[in-house]
Amino acid sequence: MAVVGIVPAAGTGERLGASGPKAFALCGGRPLLDWSLDVLEAVCDRVVVAVPPGYEEAPDRVAGGASRSASVRAALAAAPEADVALVHDAARPLVTRELAERCLAALDEGWDGAVAAAPVSDTIKEAGAGGRVLRTLDRSSLWAIQTPQVFRAAVLRRALDVDEAVLAAATDDASLVEAAGGSVRVVGALSDNLKVTRPVDLELAEALLRARC
């Protein structure tokens, strides 16, 4: 089966305070995107990256969409040969080959999708108007979702075939697959597979990458 990596990398980087697109901000002396590409290129037959307009000059780069899932849809459309799509955030530079391979292996169990996730360790409360606590949730069944997220490509294509408003509201691609009736399982991951959003996240990611060397 053809495994294609899909990387949504069209984010602006405003919250990071970057001078350009977040995926190209330096992390440990390299563009943030490059750390993920190292892993994806080792486990995928091809990797397609959805980038901001003006950054499409490199091979397998396509223009991203107005939302994260729209970017995933654009990148997947550029890879019609894909049997399996491995979607990974450019802003998660600490992904490992072992985690990506475990997510891929989960599809062999018959699932439509598998997502990296860490068990929630904090107490989680649901609050309503004015911040009033409505209830405390049972964290034993709660997971903080990460990427990679791996799907049967045909299932993901159908899930992404929705209007732009639905794509914009989706916080991850697995939620779209779930809404379309697909079966998705979690694959245990460490919390250090963090997403770089703010400057403090970038500092932490750089420290963890240095510790790996």
Side-chain angles (χ1 to χ4, degrees):
M1 294 193 299
V3 179
V4 175
I6 301 294
V7 184
T12 62
E14 289 182 9
R15 286 178 291 178
L16 186 61
S19 59
K22 179 166 67 171
F24 299 94
L26 291 183
C27 177
R30 307 175 66 196
L32 195 59
L33 171 65
D34 286 5
W35 295 100
S36 297
L37 290 181
D38 285 348
V39 172
L40 268 61
E41 288 172 352
V43 300
C44 299
D45 299 298
R46 178 187 177 196
V47 180
V48 181
V49 184
V51 294
Y55 287 79
E56 307 98 324
E57 66 279 358
D60 280 332
R61 301 292 192 267
V62 300
S67 65
R68 180 190 180 282
S69 289
S71 291
V72 171
R73 184 170 65 183
L76 187 57
E81 78 280 13
D83 298 302
V84 172
L86 187 156
V87 182
H88 182 66
D89 295 327
R92 291 188 187 271
L94 288 140
V95 64
T96 63
R97 178 170 180 171
E98 182 268 343
L99 177 58
E101 289 176 339
R102 285 197 291 116
C103 289
L104 286 166
L107 291 190
D108 294 335
E109 302 171 7
W111 301 90
D112 293 316
V115 299
V120 170
S121 57
D122 293 326
T123 296
I124 304 295
K125 296 183 183 292
E126 180 183 353
R132 180 184 178 87
V133 172
L134 301 178
R135 58 175 177 151
T136 300
L137 304 179
D138 177 8
R139 69 184 179 190
S140 67
S141 61
L142 298 177
W143 295 77
I145 302 304
Q146 307 172 357
T147 64
Q149 299 192 357
V150 177
F151 307 98
R152 300 186 189 280
V155 172
L156 182 58
R157 289 188 185 99
R158 288 195 296 271
L160 292 167
D161 187 19
V162 292
D163 63 41
E164 296 297 330
V166 175
L167 290 181
T171 55
D172 74 348
D173 304 294
S175 64
L176 295 171
V177 170
E178 295 156 24
S183 59
V184 179
R185 65 156 289 184
V186 294
V187 174
L190 298 176
S191 58
D192 66 4
N193 182 29
L194 59 87
K195 184 176 182 180
V196 173
T197 302
R198 301 162 298 167
V200 67
D201 302 323
L202 185 61
E203 294 174 9
L204 178 56
E206 289 178 324
L208 291 170
L209 288 166
R210 284 195 300 269
R212 286 184 178 180
C213 297

